[in-house]
Amino acid sequence: MCGIVGIVGKSDVNLQLYDALTILQHRGQDAAGIMTCDGSKLAQQKANGLVRDVFRTRHMQRLVGNIGIGHVRYPTAGSSGPALAQPFYVNSPYGIALAHNGNLTNADKLNEDLFKTDLRHVNTDSDSEVLLNVFAHELQLQGKLQPTADDIFTAIAGVHKRVSGGYAVVSLIARYGMIAFRDPNGIRPLVYGKRETAEGAEYMVASESVALDVLGFELIGDVAPGEAIYITAEGELHRRQCAEHTRLTPCIFEHVYFARPDSIMDGISVYKARLRQGEKLAEKILREFPTNDIDVVIPIPDSSRVAGQALAYNLGVKFREGLIKNRYIGRTFIMPGQQQRKKSVRQKLNTIELEFKGKNVLLVDDSIVRGTTCQQIIQMARDAGAAKVYFASAAPPVIYPNVYGIDMPTVKELIAHGRTQEEICKEIGADWLIYQDLEDLIAASAEGTTRVTEFDCAVFNGEYVTGDVDREYLDKLELARQEGQPKRTSAKNAPKPEHEPTLIGLHNDTAEHH
């Protein structure tokens, strides 16, 4: 998962891009980058590290121009290093830079076609560079010295025909302007907004609406699935639907974990979705444990706090902050390497003993993926003197890998895969364990909106909405991860894990909770 931003302003946008990336830092902590355009001149700074470490005063002084894009990145299997920081750039045609959030499921086939047919060279293992070269080739086919909006939209239509997977993209073309587009299934989020100034209108696109809020842009809405937005260097906005077949199936894991609660995605308030997750989880606890002896609900900060508050209120028990977070340690889920995750938990969290000692504690987390973190936190609660430790997950069991941009690519790393709830409970060391039901999670996100009727829930039910993910694809991912190779792969020509994922789209009335 990554964060992207793009701005077309009336003056230099470098500082605004920097601020936006700090707001989106939760989406990636491995690398950061900014590219700006001043007339025909492009300037770039990117490197591994947090936003505050990548950019210095000397960098900002040369990042001039009224158009710019930025990116924060977290690494996927075998894919960390300075060369993989974004945005990527190609000089032909025109000079194009691109930043991408998501993952292409047919990147290997695309890479082969780029070399053999399009005569283009891809220098890294990043599918983002593949995507950039596909876009550049499609734009070059238009054969124009000065591309029009129609040319750009035709090129993006060509990208949609060739590319499969989840992707939200922001790109700039030297001299001409900024482009943003989203995959035909709307898996990855992308919003845009406008700000009026004395010199005229300025536009901004970003992964989350909170970035627009903080910079003073008014949210216009979401880039629709398959839609493209082109904003010229002069500030003229053009929009067009560029995909033949579209379907809005946003990733529900954004509402569970990744997005900030103060963001709105596809008309859904992440904050309210998490409140409803807590309410529905409380209802299930009261059904399954009507005589529970919970003394206190304690969230595992930060993403479970909102659900934990609603859960405690509806159970009628105390809500307490018993785990204090070190704000200078990154998100453990997006840290590369399982050993580093294990080491980081105790560096990241510390207990307030008086909130645990002698009490029956219900710990609440947004989800359980590998089980490493919750296992250690449960032990920390016992070390702090808790009489009993119960555990609640605001999401259903994560059973299948994500292939659209979240780094959990193999079933062997998922604690819920192939285990019963009782076995998971024993593995993490809880006195009892409860998971959210999938239908309740979907209802928590869908309530209050008519725009979204289905979600990408593949990590919970194995239904991959792009329809090109099968056993062979997942097995190849697993082999690549074991060998420490990049996760990019094609959906064809490979071996086989135990469970067959479903190749149809998700339908709420048939979604099965595992």
Side-chain angles (χ1 to χ4, degrees):
M1 191 65 61
C2 302
I4 60 174
V5 62
I7 300 175
V8 177
K10 296 301 180 182
S11 58
D12 288 345
V13 295
N14 49 3
L15 295 178
Q16 296 172 72
L17 290 167
Y18 176 92
D19 290 342
L21 292 182
T22 62
I23 296 161
L24 297 174
Q25 186 76 85
H26 61 284
R27 300 185 67 85
Q29 300 162 17
D30 181 60
I34 289 174
M35 180 170 277
T36 58
C37 181
D38 183 22
S40 62
K41 301 296 183 182
L42 296 173
Q44 177 174 259
Q45 168 62 17
K46 61 179 183 176
N48 277 15
L50 300 176
V51 174
R52 69 186 182 212
D53 300 321
V54 170
F55 303 102
R56 300 294 188 210
T57 301
R58 65 182 183 275
H59 303 135
M60 304 310 287
Q61 288 172 342
R62 61 179 174 79
L63 289 171
V64 296
N66 71 309
I67 308 172
I69 62 175
H71 186 268
V72 287
R73 176 180 190 275
Y74 89 90
T76 48
S79 63
S80 184
L84 298 174
Q86 297 185 39
F88 284 107
Y89 167 77
V90 290
N91 66 357
S92 178
Y94 315 116
I96 305 174
L98 179 144
H100 161 224
N101 171 32
N103 182 62
L104 308 186
T105 52
N106 64 337
D108 278 354
K109 177 65 166 59
L110 289 170
N111 197 26
E112 183 180 349
D113 291 344
L114 284 168
F115 178 70
K116 292 182 177 179
T117 306
D118 301 348
L119 306 181
R120 283 184 169 269
H121 171 69
V122 176
N123 199 50
T124 71
D125 295 313
S126 172
D127 59 348
S128 302
E129 190 184 7
V130 170
L131 184 56
L132 167 61
N133 277 275
V134 171
F135 176 48
H137 179 74
E138 293 297 322
L139 195 54
Q140 192 155 11
L141 289 178
Q142 307 310 307
K144 299 285 187 64
L145 178 62
Q146 296 182 333
T148 64
D150 286 345
D151 296 325
I152 290 168
F153 291 141
T154 300
I156 293 170
V159 171
H160 289 319
K161 289 176 183 177
R162 296 179 64 179
V163 169
S164 181
Y167 50 95
V169 174
V170 63
S171 176
L172 67 81
I173 304 177
R175 297 181 180 86
Y176 298 112
M178 181 183 74
I179 300 103
F181 58 94
R182 193 177 181 193
D183 69 82
N185 292 292
I187 300 171
R188 299 269 66 89
L190 192 61
V191 299
Y192 71 108
K194 181 180 180 181
R195 181 174 66 187
E196 292 290 351
T197 70
E199 292 78 23
E202 299 180 319
Y203 291 93
M204 176 177 176
V205 297
S207 294
E208 297 187 32
S209 64
V210 62
L212 277 64
D213 297 340
V214 174
L215 270 67
F217 284 79
E218 181 182 353
L219 176 66
I220 297 175
D222 301 86
V223 177
E227 184 182 29
I229 292 175
Y230 170 45
I231 303 160
T232 68
E234 295 73 36
E236 296 175 358
L237 174 68
H238 303 266
R239 295 174 56 189
R240 184 175 298 177
Q241 178 53 253
C242 297
E244 294 177 358
H245 306 288
T246 64
R247 168 188 178 197
L248 181 56
T249 54
C251 175
I252 205 165
F253 216 73
E254 291 277 358
H255 303 163
V256 170
Y257 175 79
F258 276 105
R260 275 180 43 158
D262 44 347
S263 283
I264 296 174
M265 296 175 163
D266 297 300
I268 298 168
S269 163
V270 177
Y271 176 77
K272 287 189 175 181
R274 289 180 184 169
L275 277 178
R276 291 189 285 263
Q277 290 169 18
E279 292 167 357
K280 294 180 183 300
L281 195 51
E283 291 172 4
K284 184 174 181 182
I285 290 173
L286 291 173
R287 287 196 308 269
E288 298 197 1
F289 301 98
T291 58
N292 69 78
D293 55 354
I294 301 167
D295 295 318
V296 61
V297 171
I298 294 177
I300 297 174
D302 285 316
S303 46
S304 63
R305 181 174 287 115
V306 176
Q309 288 172 333
L311 172 61
Y313 179 82
N314 284 269
L315 289 179
V317 301
K318 294 177 181 178
F319 175 85
R320 292 289 184 268
E321 296 280 359
L323 292 163
I324 302 303
K325 181 180 178 181
N326 178 352
R327 304 291 170 185
Y328 300 96
I329 298 291
R331 299 180 90 174
T332 54
F333 177 84
I334 57 178
M335 282 188 147
Q338 187 78 339
Q339 291 303 315
Q340 190 173 352
R341 287 187 183 95
K342 290 179 180 179
K343 181 181 178 183
S344 293
V345 176
R346 286 186 179 268
Q347 293 175 337
K348 179 180 178 180
L349 296 173
N350 191 41
T351 57
I352 298 177
E353 188 174 313
L354 61 87
E355 295 296 353
F356 290 90
K357 196 163 188 178
K359 297 178 183 179
N360 298 329
V361 176
L362 174 61
L363 294 173
V364 184
D365 206 355
D366 53 78
S367 59
I368 305 172
V369 180
R370 296 168 177 85
T372 307
T373 299
C374 61
Q375 184 181 50
Q376 291 186 71
I377 292 173
I378 289 169
Q379 187 57 51
M380 289 168 64
R382 296 197 187 282
D383 293 344
K388 294 179 182 177
V389 182
Y390 309 127
F391 204 94
S393 168
V398 177
I399 302 176
Y400 299 97
N402 182 280
V403 299
Y404 302 128
I406 301 174
D407 185 26
M408 42 180 172
T410 70
V411 295
K412 290 182 179 178
E413 292 182 271
L414 305 175
I415 192 171
H417 188 85
R419 288 187 176 93
T420 65
Q421 185 166 313
E422 292 71 25
E423 290 170 335
I424 299 167
C425 183
K426 183 177 180 182
E427 183 75 17
I428 66 175
D431 290 295
W432 55 252
L433 167 68
I434 195 160
Y435 279 102
Q436 186 88 265
D437 290 331
L438 181 55
E439 55 267 30
D440 285 341
L441 178 65
I442 292 170
S445 290
E447 188 176 321
T449 180
T450 56
R451 290 171 53 190
V452 186
T453 58
E454 52 184 340
F455 295 87
D456 167 42
C457 300
V459 297
F460 306 121
N461 60 14
E463 296 180 1
Y464 295 91
V465 298
T466 54
D468 60 346
V469 178
D470 55 18
R471 289 183 180 182
E472 296 177 354
Y473 180 90
L474 297 179
D475 193 64
K476 194 169 183 180
L477 281 182
E478 185 164 351
L479 289 174
R481 189 175 180 88
Q482 289 171 352
E483 295 167 4
Q485 296 300 314
K487 74 172 202 162
R488 192 187 76 209
T489 186
S490 170
K492 298 180 180 178
N493 306 321
K496 302 192 179 200
E498 327 165 350
H499 296 268
E500 172 96 59
T502 310
L503 298 185
I504 60 172
L506 170 63
H507 297 285
N508 293 352
D509 57 345
T510 60
E512 179 183 358
H513 172 60
H514 296 264

